[in-house]
Amino acid sequence: MTEPTVPATNDFIRETIRRDNEAGTFGQRVQTRFPPEPNGYLHIGHAKAIVQDFGVAEDFGGVCNLRLDDTNPGAEEAEYVGSIVDDIAWLGYTPASIVHASDYFEQLYAWAEYLVEQGKAYVDDQDGETISAQRGGFGKPGVNSPFRDRTPQENLDLLRRMRAGEFPDGSKALRAKIDMAHENMWLRDPVMYRIRHLTHHNTGDTWCIYPTYDWAHGQSDAIEGVTHSICTLEFEGHRPLYDWFLEQLPLPSDQPKQLEFARLELTHTITSKRRLRKLITDGVVDGWDDPRMPTLRGLRRRGYPARALRDFCTAIGTTRTNSRKAIEELESYVRRELNKTAQRRMVVLRPVKLVITNWPTDADGNPVVEYFELTNNPENPADGVREAAFSGELFIEADDFAEVPPPKFFRLSPGREVRLRGAYFVTATDAVKDEAGNVVQINATYDPATRGGDAPDGRRVKSTMHWVSAAHAVDANVALYDRLFTTEVPGRETGEPLDDLNPASRELLTGCKAEQAIAGTEPGEVVQFERLGYFALDPDEPMLFHRTVGLRDEWAAAQKRKG
Ligand code: ATP
Ligand code: MG
């Protein structure tokens, strides 16, 4: 099997930093930030940004802050802040500081007054719609606002009164005075402040004017001392504005540099927070931490190791070309990590009873119980062994038996001998059926000479099956998952990703039968159910296991085919 490898990290962002260090641009200092808006839970795309932002800082001996980009009080909630902090820690990173864009509201406001005094910003009495309509378009210049030529004194007075709460929402805005005919639309007198009489999760009722993203972001970077402000490609067009604001201001530090990279998108997956929220409100999934969600919460409940996410994000590299990665590639990293760490267990998902008719009884007439020592993880001898009880009544998978075997079916059928893993060879004799014709019990004989799972005469069997002693079985519930979206690019046909939802993305199985050692599984721990895949014990619900991934590595197989 070809194992995915994580290349030594190098990318155009690191190259830029290396050149800046050689040129002494920031005096060898490297500082980054991860700036989520606390309006939802972090998802796999954010993991890519986190690995990039924190990874770059680590590589160059710099620091990375977590900055909650909380300039938009209507949409933001403290609940999300807590989850963001927690998810970053789970991914394995420690912010140098946790800061908020709202921590800088006072400084941002002071700088706004400064721009007004310099004649570089003005108060516009038009509403948002009118302002947008006047922006013009590509190749079509915008229209100057009738309020554009107010004097600095008048603007300063109005701005102060905006801040003091004299005006209703939307009745005025502060705009930068740049150029309504600029070829870059973002420089056509962008809005810096809008009026919103709303309580903010961090600043309470202190403010009723709130800065826009463009007015807040670069300035926050400069206040914090960020050197390289890494963001995704959709902000490329904003970069001239980012630079324009910084060039007008008396900065406390070097002027930070914005660098953009391509967003991570995965096949069969969406990352839009708005649509993820809709999956919850529509009842498609149970919540932000549903194991089918691409949120870090969901992936974590599903059993994805943080290490696998980091390795994947590193291995796919950082580019300026948008592309969609195969979810099978991510799963390949998950499997690789779990193969090293997960203990092996035998669990029967759809049990049917196997009765060994020649099994011995003891002096009291009870069936004999034997114990077999099984390796916990062949990849890691330090994990040791466990004992599994074996007796005359067992559970096996219903689909491991066929009364009339179809072609290429090598598992159990009448007259056919198979190995019960680590225990004995058994040969089925007949099946007991209910009135509907369903097999409810399989009768078999065992060969005592094959104890331990091998025949002394060297005879072979074509298949090895997992089993659980009926008298010792522990009941378990299992959730099996399929893709949440049936198509590789959800919404490609209709434009609406939610049209491509898989109606059968979860199958719940109750009454699964597990070997006794399963009782020692820790909440959140992932174990390998032999032959079936990796399964994570739910952190809250006892004996509910989520299938993390199956055992077959489609991605590695496809790489091999490609040569
Ligand atoms: P939305 O528009 O759905 O709210 P967003 O992209 O604005 O999402 P933020 O929380 O503001 O999300 O993003 C925080 C950081 O994570 C930003 O730097 C953003 O560029 C980055 N990021 C978000 N999604 C992705 C993604 N799919 N791939 C890489 N980086 C991402
Ligand atoms: Mg955003």
Side-chain angles (χ1 to χ4, degrees), residues 141-191:
V143 176
N144 282 356
S145 163
F147 302 95
R148 197 171 195 268
D149 293 321
R150 280 174 162 157
T151 64
Q153 280 67 30
E154 192 185 355
N155 282 319
L156 198 55
D157 172 61
L158 287 170
L159 177 59
R160 287 180 178 164
R161 289 165 60 197
M162 275 171 66
R163 178 185 181 168
E166 281 187 34
F167 308 117
D169 284 7
S171 61
K172 287 188 170 27
L174 183 74
R175 298 178 69 181
K177 190 168 177 177
I178 308 178
D179 181 358
M180 287 306 290
H182 202 287
E183 60 176 18
N184 180 318
M185 298 281 291
W186 297 107
L187 286 135
R188 295 186 183 177
D189 291 11
V191 172

Side-chain angles (χ1 to χ4, degrees), residues 15 24 60-61 73 99 116 120-121 126 137 141 164 170 179 183 199 205 272 331 393 404 427 429 472 476 492:
E15 283 301 329
F60 289 92
V99 295
V116 166
K120 290 173 183 163
Q126 302 180 110
D179 181 358
E183 60 176 18
T199 304
D205 293 319
S272 147
E331 289 173 341
E393 288 200 7
V404 182
T427 306
T429 51
H472 303 87
R492 178 150 65 186

Side-chain angles (χ1 to χ4, degrees), residues 334-349 375-379 383 386 421 466 514-515 518 521 525-537 545-552:
V334 170
R335 211 174 272 117
R336 171 169 84 150
E337 185 61 21
L338 292 176
N339 185 40
K340 288 187 280 193
T341 57
Q343 308 246 325
R344 274 54 170 172
R345 297 290 180 259
M346 291 197 288
V347 181
V348 176
L349 297 188
T375 306
N376 278 328
N377 185 352
E379 303 293 321
D383 277 342
R386 88 262 185 203
R421 173 150 165 60
H466 61 281
E515 64 168 292
I518 206 80
T521 312
E525 185 183 346
V526 183
V527 292
Q528 185 192 100
F529 292 1
E530 296 202 21
R531 299 174 66 219
L532 300 172
Y534 294 97
F535 291 75
L537 179 55
F545 287 86
H546 305 284
R547 175 143 71 181
T548 314
V549 281
L551 292 177
R552 214 183 99 75

